[in-house]
């Protein structure tokens, strides 16, 4: 009754304004509380019969309403109510300080879904937000990102000269992805090099193959799984059959630079190695409830096996690596994995916006949580230093008397390939020029001693081939398999 008296004390126009404002506030209640599981009775206004409003009082929201009213009434320009609400929800999600939780407005969600539909075109790199930075988890095998020299743990500082620090991973993805044939220039910073590197990458079709098999010497089959997508298990089954037909006696499963993907695919593949009845993975919820996924009967791989992992092996890769290591004594070789031990889900709102959040954590068969820790390999083997040499922009011209980090990278590459560039100090002297000419001569390129364009691209490609051919992690895997047969 007190509220009715207050309304009567004002003019008809002011009464209308107050009722309209009350309706809007109730709309906010509906938007906020409907997602929190609070029941609201229907409202009616004007000539309609009023309904009883049953609202559970939430004192912690009074500050939110006060801030909204203050901005709505006193900000020097008219505010957009929708933007304020979107900003409030986005702020709540960001306050979780979880790189795997994110909020997208209707417009952002629509753009993101469009980019997912066209995700087979772009640069091909898995990224995530870490402490305000956009960090590469891993490039996809055969993608433009991998060919350009993008590496795990690279920080992307700029996209086409726009600083993206502070952006969410989804916001960054929308800037980086694009149509085949278009270019994007990334400003990259590496842990070992504070100087930002500019990389211009031509977007292309992203390889959809996720399984690559080859037969090495002495019946050793090597199968690389680059990500876990819809058809990965089926593709692996085909690859295994092919390797068996070629006399497979032992197996290397390569999960290096595999950023993860679909959980069900990782579980199906793990079932090939984990004995029936043993845990593959456990999922633990906030109330302490644990769901266990147990290996079923069926086809099992019975040849000696090892698994390769590195800092780019994340999420579903770690589920597979942890499962086979703890249940089947399959050795892990390489470097400590990335360390993502959480499970996400997404919720769509009626207005088309979307929130993704972490809803559980996953544990290894023995109950270990590897989040932010990673999985340690049984045999720690690092790639040689030259495998981490920085990318060189092919558009730059490096010649005698040049001095830069790019020159140092070139010297390290030449030295790794057996050429002699002299002192590796970042200064392009006569010995460096001589080494470049020798390289150009060997590759049938223009012999001018200048490092640019085709010469630069060829040099980086040759180094990549050299790393693969002389891969110490694969060599260690073969050594371990050889010993296991004796």
């Amino acid at each position: 009754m007190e509220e009715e008296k207050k309304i009567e004390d004002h003019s008809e126009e002011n009464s209308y304004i107050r009722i309209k404002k009350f309706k809007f506030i109730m709309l906010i209640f509906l938007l906020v509380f409907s997602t929190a599981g609070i029941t609201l009775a229907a409202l009616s206004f004007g000539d309609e019969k009023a309904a009883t409003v049953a609202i559970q009082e939430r004192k912690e929201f009074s500050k939110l309403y006060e801030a909204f009213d203050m901005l709505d009434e006193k900000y020097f320009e008219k505010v957009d109510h929708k933007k304020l609400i979107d900003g409030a929800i986005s702020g709540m999600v960001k306050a979780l300080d979880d790189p795997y939780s994110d909020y997208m407005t209707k417009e952002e969600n629509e753009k993101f879904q469009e980019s997912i539909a066209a995700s087979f075109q772009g640069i091909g790199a898995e990224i995530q937000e870490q402490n305000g930075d956009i960090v590469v988890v891993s490039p996809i095998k055969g993608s433009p990102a991998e060919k350009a020299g993008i590496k795990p743990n690279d920080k992307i500082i700029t996209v086409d000269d726009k600083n993206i620090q502070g952006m969410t991973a989804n916001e960054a993805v929308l800037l980086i992805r694009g149509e085949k044939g278009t270019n994007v220039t990334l400003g990259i910073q590496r842990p070992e090099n504070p100087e930002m590197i500019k990389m211009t990458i031509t977007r292309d079709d992203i390889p959809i193959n996720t399984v690559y098999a080859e037969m090495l010497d002495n019946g050793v089959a090597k199968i690389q799984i680059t990500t876990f997508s819809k058809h990965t298990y089926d593709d692996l089954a085909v690859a295994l059959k092919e390797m068996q037909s070629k006399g497979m006696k032992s197996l290397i499963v390569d999960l290096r630079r595999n950023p993860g993907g679909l959980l069900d695919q990782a579980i199906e593949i793990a079932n090939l190695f984990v004995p029936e009845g043993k845990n593959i993975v456990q999922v633990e919820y906030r109330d302490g409830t644990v769901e266990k996924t147990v290996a079923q009967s069926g086809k099992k791989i019975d040849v000696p096996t090892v698994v390769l992992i590195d800092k780019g092996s994340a999420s579903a890769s770690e589920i597979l690596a942890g499962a086979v290591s703890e249940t089947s004594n399959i050795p892990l070789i390489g470097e400590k994995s990335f360390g993502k031990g959480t499970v996400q889900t997404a919720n769509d709102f009626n207005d088309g916006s979307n929130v993704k959040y972490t809803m559980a954590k996953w544990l290894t068969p023995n109950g270990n949580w590897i989040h932010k820790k990673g999985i340690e390999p049984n045999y720690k083997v690092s790639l040689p230093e030259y495998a981490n040499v920085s990318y060189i922009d092919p558009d730059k011209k490096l010649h005698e008397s040049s001095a830069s980090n790019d020159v140092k990278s070139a010297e390290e590459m030449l030295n790794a390939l057996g050429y002699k560039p002299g002192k590796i100090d970042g200064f392009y002297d006569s010995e460096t020029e001589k080494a470049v000419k020798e390289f150009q001569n060997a590759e049938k390129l223009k012999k001018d001693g200048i490092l640019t364009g085709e010469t630069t691209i060829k040099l980086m490609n040759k180094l990549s081939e050299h790393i693969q051919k002389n891969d110490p992690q694969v060599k260690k895997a073969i050594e371990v398999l050889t010993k296991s047969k004796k």
Side-chain angles (χ1 to χ4, degrees), residues 453-467:
E454 190 178 0
T455 299
T456 301
I457 293 170
K458 194 75 171 179
L459 179 62
M460 291 191 290
N461 287 342
K462 280 293 177 181
L463 181 67
S464 179
E465 291 172 11
H466 179 76
I467 293 169

Side-chain angles (χ1 to χ4, degrees), residues 166 181 226 234 302 331 372 428 455:
T226 60
D234 292 337
D302 57 2
K372 295 184 179 180
Y428 204 117
T455 299

Side-chain angles (χ1 to χ4, degrees), residues 116-137:
I116 290 293
S119 63
F120 292 114
Q121 292 184 348
I123 69 166
E126 177 85 7
I127 63 172
Q128 73 160 112
E129 185 271 330
Q130 283 184 6
N131 301 319
D133 291 318
I134 299 300
V135 180
V136 175
V137 175

Side-chain angles (χ1 to χ4, degrees), residues 193-210:
N193 183 10
E195 183 178 325
M196 191 167 71
I197 308 163
K198 287 284 188 78
M199 293 186 180
T200 298
I201 304 173
T202 302
R203 300 178 178 103
D204 201 347
D205 292 322
I206 305 306
I208 60 174
N209 293 332
T210 61

Side-chain angles (χ1 to χ4, degrees), residues 68 70-84:
F68 179 91
M70 177 178 62
L71 295 173
D72 188 34
E73 296 171 8
K74 298 180 180 180
Y75 189 67
F76 84 106
E77 291 180 337
K78 186 177 180 180
V79 298
D80 185 321
H81 292 159
K82 182 178 179 299
K83 282 187 176 180
L84 289 184

